[in-house]
Amino acid sequence: MTTGADLFVEALESYGVTRLFGNPGTTELPLMQAIGDSDVEYVLGLHEDVAVAAASGYATSRRYDSHRESGVLPLGVVNLHLAGGLGHGLGNLLNADFSGAPLLVTAGNHHRDFQQEEPILSGDLVSLAEQYTKWAAEVKDVAALPTMVRRAVRTALTPPTGPVFLALPVDVQQAETDQGPQRLGPIPTAGRGDSAAIDDAARVVAEAREPVVVLGDEVARSGGVDSAVEFAEAAGARVHGEILAGEVNFPSEHEQWRGPLSTRAGYTATAMDTDTLVFVGCSTNTTVSRPTEPLVPDDATCVHVTNDGWELGKHAPADVAVLGDPAQVLSELADSVREAVDEDERARRLDAVRAWGAEGNEPPDVADGRSTKHGLARALARVAPEAVVVDEGITASPALHSTFPFEPTQLVGEKGGSLGFGVGAAAGVALAEREAGRDRSVVAYVGDGSYLYYPQAIYTAVRYGLDLTVVVPDNRNYRILKENTALLMGGEPDDYEYEGVDFDPPADLVASAESYGALGLRVDDPAELDATLERALGHDGPALVDVPVTDDG
């Protein structure tokens, strides 16, 4: 006879799941036995939040593969332990929610007839999870298990994608059943959008003086990068990424690309100071704290395109709203706009794009005997231009985004703001790269403050022999807090004294990495930066490169 745990794993296998991420506990033991008897590989993280990050990175990478290969299931599955383990995983569950990562998060729960005793680690698991999931529920009877697993997987994968949660009581896992998995069925897109709304959008873009396109991560998630390029070229528009974009939604080497919008209101308000704005697939296009000035002009005409009705008109008025799959809508818009905008007008617009944000002085590679953040980013671009980069550089991220030659599928970024994402997510990406049979290097570009949340995350890469290089722009402080102090209170970051912000004494990142079995390297001489990165990237196994950097440049 099949148990609930057996049935759960059998359902995962029937849908195409090959890996389950987690950190086990007693209430998960029946599930762990079922995993051991299956072909599903269990991927251990030494902290629940690491396991959630790894599942998120894996799902994001496999989603790209699903655009090219119909048999790929772009789902990350992670199993946590009761309320304590779920609580530990909430930071990266929040990030997964903001990133639209299709995850099935599960947690074992106490026997149903024992929960009233309030045993250790007990709590309302569904309430803990539901604010960061599309759906959260507890499986209260083994008879409901096949339906709930099917529903959970479909909900996670249906655009707009995102995490879901199921609590699995021990007695449900152990209960006997003669049921089998339910068929999953095809997952639909959000469709082509309303044709009248698309016509309105095309008209607005054609009549614009200086159209600006802001692309969000739903573009990459829908496989819409090529369509975005076609649309931008047809419109002759300047193109930016939304604030906190975590994926490549437009090739960074394209002449119309002018970089991501900033969390700093002044720059972003200037970039969006135009007559016509087209927001496509956006979800985080607002500043981290209350903006110091309006980001969108009151008199700008705004077009919104997305597969998520919640996001339509959320951050700016929607004069035209198109609810549909970004890739499909952009493709239709490109055809319409190409016919409506003549070559002379397109050329005039492109001249304006080229003139916008002309390059100023380039920051140096070295200052005060240390690499600058731009210097590090340039070195990484020289030695690993084709790598997949998982970015949690925080204050080092702008230098990376302005320097690295990102092409589609080369970036997985931390989007929700909860630190401790990068190394775990990079381990998941590296597993996905291996599963797809590619040989691209995977680089976790993670600030020292972020790295120190979960230094044990590198153990997962060691345990599974992953090709992963962790590059740490190390400024020995939470620089973002110093910058935000000046933003909130005025002046410059160096005008203030700080408590709890500087790492003094500094942590030994090299020794930490080596203690888990990785190669650890430190770049004390900026002249050795390229060679050290090359050594780490060529190492057979995980490596960490600690790069002391300045806070300027």
Side-chain angles (χ1 to χ4, degrees):
M1 182 67 74
T2 299
T3 67
D6 295 328
L7 177 57
F8 177 77
V9 175
E10 184 182 348
L12 296 183
E13 287 187 292
S14 73
Y15 299 152
V17 173
T18 58
R19 289 182 168 85
L20 187 147
F21 300 81
N23 184 274
T26 301
T27 53
E28 292 72 50
L29 291 179
L31 178 60
M32 295 300 294
Q33 290 298 310
I35 290 289
D37 293 336
S38 75
D39 291 328
V40 175
E41 180 183 20
Y42 188 83
V43 181
L44 175 67
L46 297 186
H47 189 286
E48 291 89 347
D49 216 21
V50 172
V52 176
S56 296
Y58 174 83
T60 299
S61 186
R62 290 301 276 168
R63 171 159 41 200
Y64 299 142
D65 295 329
S66 73
H67 296 158
R68 299 184 292 265
E69 186 179 343
S70 61
V72 172
L73 184 79
L75 180 74
V77 183
V78 60
N79 182 237
L80 309 177
H81 177 49
L82 286 166
L86 178 57
H88 285 163
L90 284 181
N92 278 316
L93 183 58
L94 177 153
N95 286 333
D97 185 32
F98 273 80
S99 299
L103 297 185
L104 170 56
V105 181
T106 63
N109 203 358
H110 292 291
H111 291 74
R112 290 167 297 164
D113 62 358
F114 182 53
Q115 292 176 14
Q116 78 281 354
E117 298 289 336
E118 299 179 0
I120 62 169
L121 296 174
S122 61
D124 187 341
L125 304 186
V126 171
S127 293
L128 276 175
E130 62 185 353
Q131 65 180 317
Y132 301 124
T133 54
K134 294 178 66 178
W135 181 51
E138 181 169 41
V139 182
K140 297 181 178 179
D141 193 290
V142 71
L145 186 62
T147 298
M148 294 182 75
V149 174
R150 173 185 57 78
R151 180 182 174 189
V153 172
R154 287 193 63 86
T155 300
L157 293 173
T158 300
T161 58
V164 297
F165 173 77
L166 290 178
L168 304 174
V170 175
D171 50 328
V172 171
Q173 295 177 51
Q174 293 183 306
E176 295 184 342
T177 178
D178 58 2
Q179 297 186 94
Q182 295 184 358
R183 63 186 181 278
L184 183 62
I187 305 298
T189 71
R192 296 171 59 184
D194 179 72
S195 59
I198 292 174
D199 289 343
D200 287 343
R203 174 184 52 78
V204 167
V205 174
E207 295 175 353
R209 176 68 183 170
E210 186 182 353
V212 171
V213 178
V214 179
L215 299 177
D217 289 329
E218 289 293 350
V219 173
R221 295 172 201 162
S222 66
V225 177
D226 289 343
S227 297
V229 171
E230 292 174 8
F231 170 65
E233 290 178 347
R238 172 161 46 93
V239 182
H240 294 274
E242 72 171 325
I243 299 170
L244 295 176
E247 304 183 47
V248 177
N249 301 294
F250 203 82
S252 65
E253 298 290 277
H254 195 285
E255 69 164 346
Q256 289 170 250
W257 175 249
R258 287 299 178 267
L261 298 177
S262 171
T263 58
R264 299 294 182 253
Y267 174 88
T268 292
T270 298
M272 294 199 292
D273 185 12
T274 190
D275 65 303
T276 303
L277 289 158
V278 182
F279 299 99
V280 186
C282 295
S283 63
T284 56
N285 198 50
T286 191
T287 49
V288 174
S289 55
R290 183 172 62 86
T292 53
E293 58 187 287
L295 302 182
V296 175
D298 289 339
D299 58 352
T301 301
C302 298
V303 175
H304 291 244
V305 177
T306 185
N307 55 17
D308 186 353
W310 182 258
E311 300 296 339
L312 283 173
K314 186 174 84 173
H315 291 131
D319 299 295
V320 180
V322 185
L323 183 62
D325 177 74
Q328 296 180 59
V329 173
L330 283 170
S331 181
E332 292 205 23
L333 273 175
D335 292 339
S336 297
V337 171
R338 191 178 296 110
E339 294 180 2
V341 178
D342 64 40
E343 290 299 330
D344 288 343
E345 171 61 12
R346 191 174 294 113
R348 184 197 65 77
R349 293 179 180 185
L350 288 174
D351 285 342
V353 171
R354 296 183 187 103
W356 192 90
E359 294 293 333
N361 294 328
E362 285 289 322
D365 287 347
V366 178
D368 300 325
R370 287 182 291 169
S371 296
T372 64
K373 295 167 186 175
H374 277 85
L376 172 56
R378 291 180 191 123
L380 189 59
R382 285 193 297 271
V383 303
E386 297 180 356
V388 183
V389 180
V390 179
D391 175 32
E392 196 181 19
I394 313 300
T395 57
S397 294
L400 177 73
H401 285 263
S402 67
T403 302
F404 198 88
F406 284 114
E407 292 293 324
T409 78
Q410 272 192 272
L411 173 67
V412 176
E414 190 274 338
K415 194 173 178 72
S418 184
L419 298 186
F421 169 81
V423 181
V429 170
L431 282 166
E433 287 288 302
R434 173 189 290 173
E435 190 167 338
R438 286 187 293 270
D439 60 359
R440 293 190 298 181
S441 297
V442 178
V443 173
Y445 183 83
V446 181
D448 53 328
S450 300
Y451 178 82
L452 288 169
Y453 268 61
Y454 302 125
Q456 71 269 40
I458 204 168
Y459 172 80
T460 299
V462 172
R463 180 182 176 96
Y464 298 99
L466 301 178
D467 178 14
L468 173 58
T469 301
V470 181
V471 177
V472 182
D474 183 0
N475 58 5
R476 297 185 178 181
N477 69 93
Y478 293 125
R479 177 65 183 181
I480 188 66
L481 298 182
K482 295 182 179 181
E483 294 184 0
N484 285 345
T485 297
L487 182 67
L488 289 170
M489 302 175 67
E492 298 295 327
D494 292 342
D495 294 342
Y496 296 88
E497 298 290 332
Y498 298 95
E499 293 292 337
V501 173
D502 293 290
F503 305 151
D504 186 16
D508 190 337
L509 305 185
V510 169
S512 173
E514 290 176 340
S515 74
Y516 292 105
L519 172 67
L521 303 170
R522 178 181 168 88
V523 183
D524 291 311
D525 182 356
E528 298 297 321
L529 178 56
D530 284 33
T532 305
L533 290 172
E534 288 171 349
R535 179 185 172 193
L537 287 159
H539 177 66
D540 185 16
L544 176 140
V545 182
D546 180 10
V547 186
V549 295
T550 66
D551 276 325
D552 299 318

